[in-house]
Amino acid sequence: MPELPEVETIARSLRSGGVGGRNDLSIPGRRVKSASVLWDRTIAQPQPVEFEKRLVGQTVGEVGRRGKFLTIHFDRDILLVHLRMSGDLRVEPDEIQLNQTHDRVLVSFEDGIRLAFNDTRKFGRMWLTDQPEKVLGNLGLEPFDPTLDAEAFHQQISRHRRQLKPLLLDQSFLAGLGNIYTDEALHLARLHPLVIASRLNFEQSSRLLQAIRQVLSEGIQRNGASIDWVYRGGEFQNVFRVYQRTGQACPVCGTFINRMVVGQRGTHYCPVCQSLEQPAAQRQEGAHG
DNA sequence: CATCAACCCTGAGAGC
DNA sequence: TGCTCTCAGGGTTGAT
């Protein structure tokens, strides 16, 4: 399931033409010849027929990412793509036969290259709009936003009397974390998924912010995680600490990893490293800068 | 404000 | 072998 690192990896490959940097398959500068929607519900906005018409003639500009959304700028509109569970984008020459069972949207460029949106479970969505804020407006800060320092993060997290796991999954709190990186970050920060956010002290929330950034950085460095049907060369799955490692040894202490359901999501954690009870010896390193 | 469940989907894996 | 059942998961929606 694509989260921030996977979406970032895809954005980079659309810009540079593949993870390896093949310029012949990058999309900026290409002009749309035609578009076809193969599964109507993939298009959230506008109507599929208008989507197809409006894209024709527009040229790709900047390709970026906001949270888990891909932002593909065109002359007049921005194409927003959310991959949800199983979405994937391919850039390939028209000659390659469309033998893919689950292609949902095709965008053909004038120079014989096309962009294909493939999505097994049909949860992915696209918006073609000149008002991207209407779609992205509720997103929280980017985890790497430079204005998000330890103080700001602690202030934010103190406002919520929710459990950490659902809070971190809430895209209006922080944009980009999904189930994998949330579990990984909580383990790295040695925090139990059910801890109430507002009860974190400064040292704990700082640790959490740092852990979030570290696991996301690791994910990006490894081109994301490749699991389920979506394989795109990522390798982060090889270094999962807790995610989908139920019953296996915690890399830190060797205890068996537990699994429970939190907010309808499978949640993996080490019962020893991430104890709900704060260790009695926990120091109060309160006097921060 | 927070929690919970249903919904959208498919295919993998279990059980029979 | 092949059928049926359960489950996973991001985000939205509506109820409590």
Side-chain angles (χ1 to χ4, degrees), chain A residues 8 25 27 41 49 84 136 156 184 203 253 256 260 268 288:
Chain A
E8 178 66 26
L25 291 181
I27 64 167
R41 299 191 63 172
V49 175
R84 292 280 178 91
L136 307 176
Q156 286 287 332
E184 294 294 309
E203 193 267 336
C253 72
F256 293 156
M260 62 180 172
H268 315 76
H288 56 271

Side-chain angles (χ1 to χ4, degrees), chain A residues 141-183:
Chain A
L141 288 178
E142 285 292 316
F144 292 106
D145 188 315
T147 68
L148 188 63
D149 57 17
E151 274 83 9
F153 187 68
H154 187 238
Q155 209 169 14
Q156 286 287 332
I157 213 163
S158 300
R159 287 209 196 105
H160 298 273
R161 216 167 296 163
R162 296 176 72 180
Q163 297 165 333
L164 282 180
K165 165 104 182 197
L167 179 63
L168 294 179
L169 287 175
D170 187 336
Q171 301 299 296
S172 68
F173 176 71
L174 203 60
L177 288 176
N179 214 31
I180 297 175
Y181 292 90
T182 298
D183 281 3

